[in-house]
Amino acid sequence: MTPAPWLRNVWYAAMWAEALAPQAPAARTILNEHVVFFRDAGGKAAAMIDRCPHRFAPLHLGTVLSNGRLQCGYHGLEFDADGKCVLNPHGDGKIPPAAVVRAFPVIEKHTLLWIWLGDAPADPALIPDYSVFEGAPPLHVTERGDLVLEADYKLITDNLLDLSHASYLHPGTLGNVEMASVTKTEVTQSGNTVTVSRRSPNVPIPGIAVRSYGRPVEIVDKWNAIVWNPPGNMLLEQGVCEPGAAESTGTGYYGVHILTPETECTTHYLFSAVRFNVRETDPNESAQIRDEISKLRRAAFELQDGPVIKEQARVIAEMGENAPRPALLAIDAGAVRFRRVLDTLIAQESTSA
Ligand code: FES
Ligand SMILES: [Fe+2]
C-alpha cells in the first residue's frame, strides 16, 4: 500500500484534555502510530510510542506511578515523560542503551491535547485556534464528545464543508428541503484557511434552534460559516435570526469539528459546541438546551453522517483505481478548495523532507 498522504509537521488533536485522567494511561492511534498518553507527577501530559522497548508490550497496559513514571505492565521497566527508561527493577538494575521510547511533544490547549508527530521542530504557535472554549460558561458548552468513524478524514471533511447535505440527511433537526434551493454558498480562502459560508433566507427554523431561540418563530434567516484549517480542523458558526435582521441579533453556536486520522480508513472525530448570544437566563433551561443540542449533534453523526460516509468509503474503496471522477456540483466548491490546499501542503512537506 502506498503511504497515506498525511501532513506530519502539524499539531493533531489527540483527545479532550479531560479524557486523560491522572495515573491512567490512554492509548490512541494517530497516523498509524500507536501512542500512549499519560500525565506526569505535575499533571503535564506526555506521549510516546505505545510499545515497550524490552519485549514490545503495549505501554498503555502499564501503570502510571505516583512519581509520574510510566511502568510497563509486563516486567516493570519505568519510563519518564521523555521516554527514557529510568528504572530496571531486575538484578543489577542496568539499563541498556536501547531501552528508550520515542516521545512526542504534547500541549494542552483550548481543552484539547495536541500532539506533534513530525520531525520538524514543534511550534506551539501553530496550534489551531479553538479559543471559543476560553471563558465559555460550562452551561453553554455542549458535550465534548468523540467518535471513531470508518472513513478517511478527507471524506468527512467533504461532508462538513458541504452542509447542503443537512437538507436531506438531517431534515427537521439541522436542515430542511426548503433550504436547498434558496441557499447561497460562498467559498473564500485566506492563506491556507478555507471558509465556506451559507445563508438561507426565509426558511423554517431547524429543530436544533427552536428551543434556544427563546420565543416562538416559524420562519428565520439561517446562516453558517465553516472555517477549515489543515489538515482537519474546523470551526462552524451557525445561527438563526429574524428574516432580514442582522446576524448579530440572532443566536446560535460555534460547532467544533476536529478530524484526526487514525489510519487510512478510520478517523477520530472530536466535536463540541459553544453557544453564542444566549437568550435565556434560567440555568435549568440552559442545561436542558445544552443537553438537547449535545444529543442532536451526537445523533446526527452517529446515526446519519457516520453510516452514509462509511458506505461511501466502502463504495470508493471497491472502485479502487477504476473510480470515475465525481460529477461535481456547485455545492462541492469548498471540498474542492480544501483538497487543493491540502495536496499542495503535503507535496511541499514531502519535497522538503
Ligand atoms: S515488555 Fe516491558 S518491561 Fe518487559
Ligand atoms: Fe451532517
Side-chain angles (χ1 to χ4, degrees):
M1 188 185 287
T2 49
W6 289 320
L7 279 177
R8 292 193 73 85
N9 292 315
V10 287
W11 293 97
Y12 283 98
M15 66 185 85
W16 296 106
E18 65 215 16
L20 188 63
Q23 295 194 261
R28 292 288 184 277
T29 300
I30 306 170
L31 313 190
N32 275 340
E33 302 273 20
H34 299 297
V35 180
V36 59
F37 293 80
F38 65 102
R39 292 190 183 278
D40 70 13
K44 191 172 176 307
M48 58 182 72
I49 293 282
D50 190 13
R51 187 177 60 233
C52 179
H54 173 225
R55 303 291 279 175
F56 313 128
L59 286 166
H60 76 268
L61 299 177
T63 304
V64 183
L65 305 172
S66 56
N67 60 11
R69 293 176 183 169
L70 180 59
Q71 180 187 58
C72 179
Y74 203 179
H75 312 98
L77 289 188
E78 293 179 18
F79 299 89
D80 67 12
D82 296 327
K84 217 165 69 192
C85 179
V86 285
L87 189 128
N88 167 11
H90 303 281
D92 63 2
K94 208 163 160 242
I95 297 171
V100 64
V101 187
R102 180 174 178 193
F104 301 102
V106 179
I107 289 182
E108 187 165 336
K109 192 166 180 193
H110 304 323
T111 75
L112 288 147
L113 290 185
W114 299 90
I115 184 169
W116 182 278
L117 297 171
D119 293 322
D123 180 356
L126 299 179
I127 291 178
D129 182 4
Y130 285 103
S131 53
V132 288
F133 285 114
E134 305 302 337
L139 275 176
H140 299 167
V141 179
T142 69
E143 177 195 8
R144 281 189 274 263
D146 62 343
L147 289 168
V148 173
L149 302 171
E150 294 178 59
D152 171 76
Y153 76 106
K154 294 193 291 303
L155 273 187
I156 309 166
T157 308
D158 289 342
N159 166 287
L160 289 161
L161 290 191
D162 171 20
L163 293 173
S164 71
H165 75 265
S167 295
Y168 299 92
L169 199 53
H170 314 297
T173 51
L174 298 176
N176 40 63
V177 287
E178 287 85 344
M179 278 166 42
S181 60
V182 298
T183 299
K184 290 203 168 24
T185 304
E186 191 190 8
V187 177
T188 56
Q189 184 179 341
S190 169
N192 292 324
T193 301
V194 174
T195 302
V196 184
S197 311
R198 293 161 44 84
R199 192 164 170 103
S200 315
N202 293 308
V203 290
I205 186 167
I208 199 166
V210 168
R211 194 161 174 181
S212 57
Y213 203 76
R215 52 183 181 271
V217 63
E218 287 180 9
I219 300 296
V220 291
D221 285 356
K222 179 177 188 292
W223 79 89
N224 56 49
I226 187 158
V227 179
W228 171 87
N229 278 296
N233 303 301
M234 281 155 280
L235 183 66
L236 167 71
E237 178 188 324
Q238 171 154 300
V240 290
C241 59
E242 305 285 326
E247 290 172 359
S248 57
T249 65
T251 182
Y253 59 78
Y254 296 104
V256 171
H257 300 272
I258 300 176
L259 300 171
T260 297
E262 279 192 347
T263 67
E264 289 82 352
C265 48
T266 59
T267 299
H268 191 193
Y269 169 49
L270 298 125
F271 58 92
S272 184
V274 181
R275 296 177 62 204
F276 60 78
N277 289 357
V278 172
R279 291 173 167 174
E280 78 281 351
T281 50
D282 175 9
N284 291 327
E285 176 70 358
S286 284
Q288 286 176 27
I289 291 172
R290 177 196 60 198
D291 296 346
E292 189 179 288
I293 295 175
S294 298
K295 217 163 112 193
L296 282 170
R297 281 171 54 81
R298 174 174 276 279
F301 242 89
E302 223 165 23
L303 306 175
Q304 296 171 329
D305 297 288
V308 167
I309 299 169
K310 176 183 169 185
E311 287 304 297
Q312 179 196 16
R314 179 186 59 75
V315 170
I316 292 170
E318 275 176 13
M319 290 190 294
E321 301 202 337
N322 301 321
R325 293 181 71 76
L328 294 178
L329 308 174
I331 52 176
D332 298 303
V336 168
R337 185 72 67 92
F338 101 80
R339 282 173 182 258
R340 200 182 298 155
V341 174
L342 189 60
D343 288 347
T344 304
L345 291 172
I346 290 171
Q348 282 168 356
E349 194 171 278
S350 63
T351 51
S352 65

